[in-house]
Amino acid sequence: MDYVALREKPRQFLALTSLHVAEFDDLLTDFTPAWERYHRWHTLAGKRRQFVAHRERPNAVLTGSEVKLFFLLTYLKNNSLQQHQAASFGISQARVSQLATALLGVLNQVLAARGLLPVRDGAELAQRLAHHPEPVFAYDGVERGVPRNPDYEAQGEEYSAKKKPTA
């Protein structure tokens, strides 16, 4: 995929990354220094470097932080197979795995610093919502079945007879 060409097609860029070009650029302002810090001291495998890397190798296939962020966002948005991502960016499947792991760690740090990571704890969510100015929220969730209690007598107490599971 050609990052530079796709930047000129805002609708396609949005479809591939879930971000408008301006939003991508804003995220890039924090991602670039975070990635450079990580890359300076760590390999793609996450191991500490013996010697500090002062710059990216000139033969790198994905050159520049903007291309790496674009690579990661397209990978996350499309939930693609690593083989597909490898073919799209001209790298090996093993390299896709290494890059995705390293870049995702850096992106999570950036999103955490901006306070944009999703809340995973109910108590923390309640605390955040208590201070929110708008009291009405939309919830997008998936209804899942509850595992059946193995105790036969407890099953009778829990059964509401309201819904039958669909096969």
Side-chain angles (χ1 to χ4, degrees):
M1 272 190 238
D2 186 2
Y3 162 75
V4 176
L6 288 167
R7 268 185 74 86
E8 303 302 319
K9 301 175 183 172
R11 292 187 66 167
Q12 198 170 19
F13 192 88
L14 177 64
L16 289 170
T17 64
S18 292
L19 294 177
H20 294 281
V21 175
E23 294 169 331
F24 179 88
D25 290 341
D26 182 51
L27 182 59
L28 191 60
T29 61
D30 290 338
F31 182 82
T32 297
W35 171 251
E36 288 172 357
R37 238 183 347 268
Y38 177 86
H39 184 259
R40 173 174 272 209
W41 298 102
H42 298 88
T43 65
L44 282 181
K47 296 181 181 172
R48 186 103 172 144
R49 289 186 188 276
Q50 291 179 347
F51 303 102
V52 177
H54 294 286
R55 64 179 169 256
E56 190 173 66
R57 292 183 179 187
N59 63 346
V61 177
L62 299 179
T63 55
S65 298
E66 62 278 354
V67 175
K68 288 177 181 65
L69 181 58
F70 178 74
F71 165 85
L72 182 62
L73 292 176
T74 58
Y75 179 75
L76 294 173
K77 164 72 189 262
N78 299 304
N79 195 19
S80 64
L81 297 170
Q82 289 184 353
Q83 287 291 358
H84 180 271
Q85 197 75 355
S88 297
F89 284 88
I91 57 179
S92 68
Q93 179 273 323
R95 181 60 55 143
V96 169
S97 179
Q98 288 178 329
L99 277 167
T101 302
L103 294 170
L104 187 57
V106 173
L107 181 61
N108 280 333
Q109 289 174 355
V110 170
L111 294 176
R114 288 181 164 210
L116 297 175
L117 283 179
V119 178
R120 303 276 185 209
D121 178 41
E124 185 181 346
L125 177 63
Q127 183 181 18
R128 283 195 188 179
L129 294 179
H131 301 295
H132 198 278
E134 184 66 39
V136 179
F137 301 96
Y139 175 76
D140 185 13
V142 177
E143 185 176 342
R144 292 182 277 171
V146 177
R148 189 174 187 175
N149 194 328
D151 181 18
Y152 183 76
E153 301 213 359
Q155 287 178 14
E157 295 172 16
E158 295 172 356
Y159 181 65
S160 68
K162 288 185 178 179
K163 289 188 176 181
K164 301 280 185 192
T166 57

